[in-house]
Amino acid sequence: MYNLIICCNIVKKNFGDFLYLSDMKIIISESQLGHIMGGKEYAYHVTRRGNVKGIMSKGLIPRVPKDIIGGDVRGVYLFPSVGDVENALYNWLGERIEEWEEENDKEYDEVVLKVDISGLELDIVRNLEWEIICLVRIGPERIVDVFEM
């Protein structure tokens, strides 16, 4: 997933209470751009391959992450881009998966679900730039792809 960077050269002028600055950059993800242009918005969920059959029949059910004690919201945790998934897998999420594998003495065997979140804006929380939390069940019809990283 790539980001689109819009660069604007704005003349710096002072008009009373308004100050216009120069060299503004707006960074928009491919997913956000598609949504802005009237298309679909996608997010990505990491799960174990063994969970896919159940998810494809029941959908993604909001939960509080098992490894977090207190403070987290019940929801379906998603990433806004494939780049955010990669970053998490190479860092904190990869560490959590390794811990799970050691505790359970088996491979986690993760896959990524591409999820259509268009139209769910009222049920979504975006507190962090790399995390989307959907507060309601996401039906299986919204899962458009399953792939490995």
Side-chain angles (χ1 to χ4, degrees), residues 104-117:
N104 293 280
D105 197 30
K106 62 181 174 180
E107 187 178 348
Y108 190 82
D109 196 20
E110 68 271 13
V111 294
V112 180
L113 308 178
K114 181 177 181 180
V115 181
D116 178 1
I117 59 169

Side-chain angles (χ1 to χ4, degrees), residues 27-91:
I27 301 174
I28 301 173
S29 72
E30 186 178 332
S31 177
Q32 291 166 327
L33 181 63
H35 184 61
I36 290 168
M37 302 300 290
K40 301 282 187 180
E41 182 176 10
Y42 298 103
Y44 302 86
H45 179 77
V46 177
T47 189
R48 293 179 57 221
R49 185 181 309 278
N51 295 339
V52 172
K53 186 176 179 181
I55 290 169
M56 295 307 283
S57 67
K58 297 177 184 173
L60 290 163
I61 310 298
R63 302 183 195 282
V64 175
K66 293 178 183 177
D67 58 346
I68 304 296
I69 300 172
D72 255 13
V73 173
R74 178 179 300 278
V76 176
Y77 285 76
L78 305 157
F79 295 97
S81 71
V82 172
D84 291 317
V85 172
E86 288 175 340
N87 186 41
L89 286 171
Y90 286 120
N91 293 289

